[in-house]
Amino acid sequence: SAASDVYKRQGFIHCIKYGNGTVVTGSRDTTIRIWDARKNFKTRALLLGHRNSVCSIQHDDWKIVSGSKDSDIRVWDLSTGNCFCRIPTAEPVYALAFDTQRLFAGSILLKLFDFSYIKTSQFPCSIS
């Protein structure tokens, strides 16, 4: 078989995002893992904070955005693993997409958030 098991004990993996040698996974066990694809898929970080299954993951060069059944969107610093922004929503978040200006979240509805102020993790935010 051409497939190989990277890690088996994370619980069900609900979402995966790959880019620039980094793999980020979100799981039913509420965790997010950052893997280094260049170093034999060694786990670089384990991110904790969601209170229910992580259903959606996106990342760019410096941040990870995660959505969960706990109805939170969280923004994490890719290099440190710190959560610096929590965006509570009214429903579980099953899909995410973002660019430098906008964050889209999918649940029962498609929601749009202004994402232009997220320029660095040096300024923690919480949107209600």
Side-chain angles (χ1 to χ4, degrees), residues 26-99:
S27 296
R28 184 172 75 177
D29 69 2
T30 76
T31 64
I32 298 166
R33 290 180 194 270
I34 304 171
W35 310 79
D36 192 334
R38 295 180 184 125
K39 295 186 179 173
N40 211 18
F41 292 97
K42 181 178 174 164
T43 302
R44 273 192 0 219
L46 175 67
L47 311 184
L48 305 172
H50 281 294
R51 299 172 313 280
N52 206 326
S53 299
V54 178
C55 301
S56 183
I57 288 283
Q58 293 292 321
H59 75 82
D60 62 14
D61 291 338
W62 70 273
K63 66 183 170 299
I64 299 167
V65 181
S66 60
S68 171
K69 284 186 179 179
D70 66 8
S71 302
D72 278 352
I73 298 168
R74 291 182 179 256
V75 186
W76 313 78
D77 185 301
L78 182 61
S79 64
T80 66
N82 293 328
C83 178
F84 64 91
C85 186
R86 177 181 168 267
I87 305 169
T89 68
E91 301 93 17
V93 180
Y94 292 104
L96 293 168
F98 70 90
D99 64 15

Side-chain angles (χ1 to χ4, degrees), residues 21 64 90 95 107 116:
I64 299 167
S107 58
S116 60

